Amino acid sequence: MDFAGLLEFLTTQPLLAVAMAAIFVIVLGGMVRGSAPVVSAILRGAGNLGLLAAFLLTIAQVTRLTTGSDLSLPQFGMPTQSVSGGETRVPMSNDGHFWVTADINGKSHRFLVDTGATLTAIAPSTALDAQVPQKSLRQTINMRTANGTVRAELATIDELRFGSILARDLDAVVAPGLGTTNVIGMNLLSRLARWRVEGRTLILVPKNPHQTPDT
């Protein structure tokens, strides 16, 4: 990879870029330690703070994406996520899966409810139609699909509504490897009070149920 390619890659991985910049500052501080000890101490201190910030932000992001945590860091593109509404019942389709028609930022699209998916994922065409914004800290991840490992870009869904459930500021990935399929994953389901399958019906119950108009 040439220098230009490296810079392009780092623009998609800001936390890695912060960590590399911090390491560079620390090394620079070590190089001038003998001739400028005060400057060296300042540089090494700043570099260590940068490494600590990158480490903590990485932990925060992983925690937010893989658990039901309500962690919110809006200044770093991680606003508070919420799920509300009354009990929603989803009948099993003939293919053995649970499908819902959901409004994503006001646009109607079909979603597979997948309890085996860590993250909610949408197709590029859905992201374009619903104008799903990229995160302020633009990042990509490797995502495993039935067709192999593909790159997916982190994004935020302003509003996702189906049945009587309403989710706001929901973390998601835009995944080309899914084709035209959209998936509701555990990062939404884990924020519910409970969910269960009774016979051929999936029942979703938010923590703070209230009546909302059907969509």
Side-chain angles (χ1 to χ4, degrees), residues 67-147:
T67 71
S69 171
D70 289 327
L71 178 66
S72 175
L73 293 171
Q75 65 272 38
F76 294 108
M78 290 185 283
T80 300
Q81 300 179 101
S82 65
V83 176
S84 60
E87 180 179 283
T88 294
R89 292 174 170 263
V90 182
M92 181 182 292
S93 299
N94 293 332
D95 62 4
H97 298 295
F98 296 104
W99 294 88
V100 298
T101 298
D103 281 352
I104 172 172
N105 295 347
K107 299 291 186 177
S108 181
H109 288 274
R110 196 165 183 245
F111 281 78
L112 169 67
V113 182
D114 187 355
T115 59
T118 302
L119 291 173
T120 295
I122 59 176
S125 57
T126 301
L128 182 63
D129 182 54
Q131 298 183 343
V132 174
Q134 298 172 345
K135 284 185 173 293
S136 55
L137 285 181
R138 183 177 178 181
Q139 288 183 277
T140 57
I141 62 173
N142 289 326
M143 179 180 178
R144 290 185 177 180
T145 71
N147 296 322

Side-chain angles (χ1 to χ4, degrees), residues 120-193:
T120 295
I122 59 176
S125 57
T126 301
L128 182 63
D129 182 54
Q131 298 183 343
V132 174
Q134 298 172 345
K135 284 185 173 293
S136 55
L137 285 181
R138 183 177 178 181
Q139 288 183 277
T140 57
I141 62 173
N142 289 326
M143 179 180 178
R144 290 185 177 180
T145 71
N147 296 322
T149 301
V150 298
R151 295 183 69 80
E153 186 169 304
L154 295 177
T156 299
I157 296 174
D158 293 335
E159 181 178 289
L160 179 68
R161 182 194 297 268
F162 63 96
S164 58
I165 289 179
L166 174 63
R168 290 192 173 96
D169 294 319
L170 181 67
D171 288 328
V173 292
V174 180
L178 292 176
T180 59
T181 303
N182 305 300
V183 176
I184 290 175
M186 283 302 299
N187 68 316
L188 187 156
L189 299 180
S190 65
R191 287 172 172 76
L192 302 175

Side-chain angles (χ1 to χ4, degrees), residues 48-72:
N48 287 328
L49 287 176
L51 282 178
L52 179 61
F55 177 70
L56 292 177
L57 285 172
T58 299
I59 292 177
Q61 179 172 277
V62 171
T63 300
R64 178 183 173 92
L65 294 178
T66 60
T67 71
S69 171
D70 289 327
L71 178 66
S72 175

